[in-house]
Amino acid sequence: MMKPRKLGPVGGLALFYSALVLAVGVYSIVVLLTVQNPILLSGVALLYLTLPLGWLVWHGWDLLPVEMTNPVVLVLLLVGTGWFQAWAVSCLVRKLVDQSGESA
């Protein structure tokens, strides 16, 4: 059985970033589903929050089939992108810290 790792400062930042992305994403979906003509500033905030990969998702949006171009799908893709970025950065930093710890 594996021993759980300590969260550490990088893990805490990744967790905070993931929670922020989730909160903005849920708010965006609620606005999309409840407001008749939404002006989605929270979607723009989500796009900027998930930069640089969010920008790629935004520009790749035109490549999806027409039946999948629901704005809710875009918000879900941006949330997934944000979570992937948080995971990737925390793994990268953990690997760099492990390498620097071994050489010392």
Side-chain angles (χ1 to χ4, degrees):
M1 188 168 180
M2 290 182 58
K3 193 168 105 178
R5 295 182 188 210
K6 291 182 181 176
L7 190 60
V10 174
L13 284 174
L15 189 62
F16 174 75
Y17 174 75
S18 298
L20 184 63
V21 166
L22 179 65
V24 173
V26 167
Y27 178 75
S28 297
I29 290 174
V30 167
V31 167
L32 279 171
L33 296 177
T34 57
V35 177
Q36 193 155 28
N37 292 323
I39 299 174
L40 202 57
L41 294 178
S42 61
V44 174
L46 185 61
L47 177 65
Y48 283 117
L49 189 61
T50 58
L51 281 174
L53 292 180
W55 184 81
L56 293 174
V57 168
W58 176 260
H59 286 291
W61 181 245
D62 293 331
L63 301 175
L64 287 176
V66 175
E67 56 271 357
M68 288 188 64
T69 56
N70 188 347
V72 174
V73 174
L74 177 62
V75 170
L76 292 174
L77 285 173
L78 287 173
V79 168
T81 301
W83 286 350
F84 174 75
Q85 287 181 153
W87 171 79
V89 168
S90 64
C91 286
L92 179 67
V93 170
R94 186 179 306 132
K95 190 173 190 177
L96 290 173
V97 167
D98 288 346
Q99 285 178 353
S100 68
E102 289 174 4
S103 63

